[in-house]
Amino acid sequence: VNKMNFSLMTYTFARQDWKKDSNFDLEKMCKVGQKLGVDGVNIVSHSFSPLDPGYIRKVLEDNDQKVVCYTFFPPLNKPDRTGREAGIEEVKKAIEIAKRLGAEMVMIHTPGNSEMTQEECRVNWIHGLQEAILLTNAAGLTLTIESIMNSPLGTSAEMLRVIREVPGIKLVFDTGNVYACGEDPVAFYNVCREHIVHAHFKDGRWNNITNSDGSTLRNFSNELIGEG
């Protein structure tokens, strides 16, 4: 019987302004995980300032928690190798951090860029991920991406294209993000299931908000699980 292991994500808690000495209160989140019977943590780089892998590892070990994924944000959406150099350096640093944290999986955030077309961004990300996966493979880490609203990589068709062009890359199935990208999460899962190694469970709904000039904007808002 396959077992599903649950984890908590620092990004979600950091959005609630969980601060301790002007930094994210990881220990407090670990206590919540213990109460819930959850022993895994998804560390997101921008939850911490500064990010200290040694400190994070000690807090987790003291609270019987382990890192299941390290998420970071390298600027790889660039049209050439020279432009991606800074992003590749961030990938190298992230690999070292992930290894120190004891993570076996890393996730790269893949936003678009309003100054380029979605197809240009898509091609840029594919080239960047092709370079990144050589480094993560060499380090023994699994490289993943997830669907992101307004990203060039959101739908199942776009994800399958990346999988074809970046052999070995895996997917994080984010139920809320898939829905926000305009696709039925169940349909997405059925198409991509063999490539999924991690999941983010969240819910949301579409609603119209009225701007000051009277115009309306369709907006996606997060909701509690089951309420979206």
Side-chain angles (χ1 to χ4, degrees):
V1 177
N2 291 327
K3 178 184 177 183
M4 178 178 286
N5 296 311
F6 288 91
S7 62
L8 299 181
M9 193 173 192
T10 61
Y11 168 75
T12 309
F13 285 80
R15 291 186 68 185
Q16 310 306 311
D17 198 30
W18 279 33
K19 294 292 177 62
K20 179 181 180 181
D21 300 328
S22 75
N23 206 341
F24 175 68
D25 194 340
L26 178 62
E27 186 172 6
K28 185 178 178 181
M29 192 186 89
C30 288
K31 298 301 184 186
V32 173
Q34 289 178 335
K35 289 182 179 179
L36 296 174
V38 173
D39 60 5
V41 177
N42 188 332
I43 297 292
V44 181
S45 64
H46 63 30
S47 301
F48 302 86
S49 181
L51 189 149
D52 182 344
Y55 165 77
I56 293 173
R57 183 74 177 262
K58 184 179 186 307
V59 171
L60 295 176
E61 289 178 348
D62 288 347
N63 289 277
D64 297 319
Q65 306 280 297
K66 61 182 179 181
V67 178
V68 296
C69 183
Y70 176 61
T71 299
F72 64 108
F73 306 81
L76 295 174
N77 186 1
K78 306 293 182 180
D80 55 59
R81 180 66 177 80
T82 300
R84 289 191 294 274
E85 285 182 357
I88 292 301
E89 287 304 310
E90 287 198 25
V91 172
K92 293 177 181 177
K93 292 178 183 177
I95 287 172
E96 292 304 312
I97 292 172
K99 299 288 279 187
R100 290 180 64 188
L101 292 174
E104 297 180 356
M105 182 191 319
V106 295
M107 191 186 88
I108 289 179
H109 190 73
T110 58
N113 185 326
S114 60
E115 297 181 358
M116 293 182 281
T117 67
Q118 288 290 75
E119 176 59 16
E120 287 173 331
C121 291
R122 198 172 292 119
V123 170
N124 291 346
W125 273 115
I126 287 172
H127 289 159
L129 292 169
Q130 286 171 339
E131 296 176 52
I133 200 167
L134 296 177
L135 299 171
T136 55
N137 282 348
L141 298 173
T142 299
L143 177 62
T144 68
I145 57 173
E146 71 172 354
S147 300
I148 302 172
M149 186 178 175
N150 299 322
S151 163
L153 305 177
T155 67
S156 57
E158 291 162 352
M159 290 299 187
L160 290 179
R161 175 177 171 183
V162 176
I163 289 165
R164 288 194 301 271
E165 300 193 40
V166 189
I169 198 167
K170 299 298 182 181
L171 302 182
V172 172
F173 173 49
D174 187 309
T175 57
N177 286 7
V178 169
Y179 179 63
C181 290
E183 191 167 1
D184 177 355
V186 175
F188 179 101
Y189 176 79
N190 286 332
V191 170
C192 298
R193 60 188 299 170
E194 64 183 284
H195 308 288
I196 295 170
V197 295
H198 191 50
H200 293 160
F201 291 116
K202 66 185 180 205
D203 208 347
R205 70 174 72 244
W206 287 102
N207 53 71
N208 293 324
I209 58 176
T210 303
N211 298 318
S212 57
D213 61 1
S215 62
T216 58
L217 174 68
R218 194 164 186 247
N219 178 65
F220 185 80
S221 61
N222 292 316
E223 305 287 347
L224 292 175
I225 297 293
E227 294 187 7

